[in-house]
Amino acid sequence: MARRILLVDDTRAVITAIRRDLEERDVGVDAVAPAEAVARAGEGSHCAALVRGAQAGGHLVESLRRADPHLPVVLLLVDAAEARAAARAEADAVLEAPFTASGVASVCALAAKLRERSVRIAELEARAGARPGGGRDLEFLKRLLLAEVKRSKRYGHPLSLALLAVDGWEEKAAKLAPRTRTQLLGAILGVVSGTLRDIDVAVPFSGERFVVVMPHTKADGGLRVARRLAAVVRDRESSPRLTASVGVATHGGDGTVSFGGLVKRAGEALARARAAGGDRAEPADPVKKRDRISIA
């Protein structure tokens, strides 16, 4: 990925605040006015676009997306007025002042992962047949993973995360044509998404794995959902017959948490479910008091 950031601002305030620190981290910065931004956002030329909230009006974010569908767009908010602009713009993430190079770099990296997941979901739904309202789900998904982990940490809300994997996928996939494999994974995503609440989101994670984010969900509720997900995959009425294993991890709302930490614990539970024969859900082990999980 390119090691350059497109910084869209027609003042010197934001540019001066973060440019030097980013360049010291070996991340180049191309600072442009809004009128020039789309012309500079060529395919793959930047790892992220940072847009000053006050400049997010019109259809700038949408135009940047058309220029490069894989480009994550992060809004930089300096004051309350710019927060209103952020509510109207469909950005991948939002970063509030004061800005630091480490904060900008971390948010850009996470936003890039979300953008890639969103593009992949769009491709899967296009091939497998999108559900009604799928576009709205994608717009919601872009912000959820970043927002919910931070909200859980800040306000003490419980948050559960499930990692679902199709059992024996490598062996089954080897017998299928590439297009059929993609359609099958899209169908799995469809039945999983159709089982969830409106505030829950399922997203392809890697290969045959999907991650499910469940805000305001305690450990027992997360495990119930995980078992239900395994059941709906097993009960699909189409060929080939598939089963799934699910690992679920929960942040109870106290202490600190990271998306990566939840995925790691859910992955360990998923491995136990597979080792036990698959077609089941397993809860993650509780976090030991001496362990430290922090926002990364």
Side-chain angles (χ1 to χ4, degrees), residues 180-206:
T180 304
R181 291 197 295 266
T182 301
Q183 290 175 333
L184 190 53
L185 290 175
I188 296 295
L189 176 61
V191 297
V192 167
S193 297
T195 305
L196 302 172
R197 303 171 299 177
D198 289 343
I199 64 170
D200 302 331
V201 173
V203 51
F205 190 65
S206 64

Side-chain angles (χ1 to χ4, degrees), residues 3-7 15 18-19 22-23 27-31:
R3 289 282 293 174
R4 301 196 68 79
I5 286 177
L6 184 67
L7 179 55
I15 297 173
I18 65 176
R19 183 171 193 166
L22 283 172
E23 290 179 341
V27 179
V29 177
D30 294 325

Side-chain angles (χ1 to χ4, degrees), residues 155-220:
Y155 300 111
H157 296 159
L159 173 68
S160 288
L161 182 146
L163 194 59
L164 178 147
V166 180
D167 294 326
W169 175 251
E170 290 187 6
E171 179 181 351
K172 294 181 175 68
K175 303 174 182 177
L176 304 174
R179 180 178 178 83
T180 304
R181 291 197 295 266
T182 301
Q183 290 175 333
L184 190 53
L185 290 175
I188 296 295
L189 176 61
V191 297
V192 167
S193 297
T195 305
L196 302 172
R197 303 171 299 177
D198 289 343
I199 64 170
D200 302 331
V201 173
V203 51
F205 190 65
S206 64
E208 81 286 12
R209 298 187 176 204
F210 301 85
V211 64
V212 180
V213 178
M214 296 171 279
H216 297 271
T217 304
K218 296 180 180 179
D220 55 348

Side-chain angles (χ1 to χ4, degrees), residues 40-153:
R40 296 292 298 275
E43 188 79 27
S45 60
H46 296 88
C47 60
L50 305 180
V51 179
R52 171 82 178 269
Q55 317 299 332
H59 299 283
L60 178 57
V61 174
E62 182 181 340
S63 298
L64 288 170
R65 286 270 161 65
R66 285 198 296 268
D68 183 355
H70 295 270
L71 181 70
V73 180
V74 178
L75 291 190
L76 302 176
L77 306 185
V78 174
D79 53 37
E82 294 184 1
R84 290 191 290 272
R88 296 190 298 271
E90 298 292 348
D92 294 285
V94 171
L95 189 61
E96 299 179 2
F99 308 121
T100 65
S102 60
V104 169
S106 295
V107 169
C108 285
L110 289 172
K113 292 180 181 179
L114 293 183
R115 170 89 337 237
E116 288 302 318
R117 301 291 186 262
S118 296
V119 170
R120 187 178 175 206
I121 287 176
E123 292 172 348
L124 287 172
E125 290 189 333
R127 294 174 184 177
R131 297 182 295 117
R136 290 190 298 275
D137 289 343
L138 288 177
E139 292 305 317
F140 179 53
L141 170 65
K142 292 185 304 184
R143 299 182 294 273
L144 181 70
L145 298 183
L146 283 174
E148 288 303 333
V149 169
K150 290 184 177 180
R151 187 176 291 118
S152 177
K153 175 178 180 291

